[in-house]
Amino acid sequence: MSNKQEGTYRLAGGITVTDADLEADAQRFEAGECDGAWKVLPERPPRSGLDPR
């Protein structure tokens, strides 16, 4: 049995998103606030707990 929560997805690069993250992105896209491209923001370090240096 998997420990993964329902509605939680692991993306390339170790990024984890939830259904709520995806819904918020969809709302921003529909409002024209973003172009739909995925990118890692510098203020949100990876959740892996590893030092990125």
Side-chain angles (χ1 to χ4, degrees), residues 4-17:
K4 185 184 112 177
Q5 281 185 320
E6 282 295 316
T8 301
Y9 311 93
R10 176 75 74 154
L11 305 180
I15 300 167
T16 301
V17 296

Side-chain angles (χ1 to χ4, degrees), residues 15-38:
I15 300 167
T16 301
V17 296
T18 65
D19 282 340
D21 295 328
L22 297 174
E23 180 61 32
D25 283 346
Q27 289 176 7
R28 285 191 291 275
F29 177 78
E30 290 173 359
E33 296 175 7
C34 69
D35 62 7
W38 282 91

